[in-house]
Amino acid sequence: EVYTDKKSLMVLSEIYYPKGWRAFMENGDELSIYKTNHLLRSVVVPAGEHTITFEFKPNTYYAGIRVSFVGILIVYGGLLFLLYREFIKGKRERQVNRTEN
């Protein structure tokens, strides 16, 4: 939460990292994040009392989740296929044994 009587620059003592970071005001307006003093990040805050929210949602994280999910589907699909194949193989062997006896 921040209060200012005029348009101001809010500097955070956090390292500027543009990928994945977004800043929003309480009404949902997105704020631009700037690199300040070669290292820190900042946002321009309009006059008044505001709640500024920063969120970190990097695209690479969500791409990694999708790739992991596809990998899990492939692994479990392969396991189900092998189990099904063994079940069918066992069923055929039982049928062959019945006909031989």
Side-chain angles (χ1 to χ4, degrees):
E1 295 183 8
V2 63
Y3 171 79
T4 179
D5 58 348
K6 58 185 173 186
K7 187 176 179 180
S8 301
L9 183 68
M10 181 174 77
V11 179
L12 302 168
S13 62
E14 296 179 358
I15 294 176
Y16 175 77
Y17 183 76
K19 297 178 182 174
W21 279 104
R22 295 172 71 189
F24 298 95
M25 291 184 46
E26 67 277 352
N27 62 2
D29 290 345
E30 186 168 359
L31 299 172
S32 296
I33 301 174
Y34 300 101
K35 186 175 187 179
T36 307
N37 291 341
H38 307 288
L39 180 66
L40 305 176
R41 64 180 147 145
S42 63
V43 293
V44 175
V45 180
E49 187 173 336
H50 301 285
T51 301
I52 310 295
T53 305
F54 286 84
E55 63 179 37
F56 184 63
K57 292 186 176 179
N59 291 333
T60 54
Y61 173 76
Y62 294 103
I65 287 176
R66 283 186 226 108
V67 168
S68 296
F69 183 70
V70 168
I72 288 170
L73 288 177
I74 290 170
V75 167
Y76 283 111
L79 285 173
L80 286 174
F81 172 75
L82 291 174
L83 288 171
Y84 177 75
R85 192 174 70 174
E86 287 298 315
F87 174 75
I88 295 298
K89 184 179 175 183
K91 192 174 183 180
R92 286 184 187 152
E93 287 176 1
R94 286 190 299 274
Q95 286 176 349
V96 168
N97 288 339
R98 283 187 204 152
T99 57
E100 289 177 355
N101 292 334

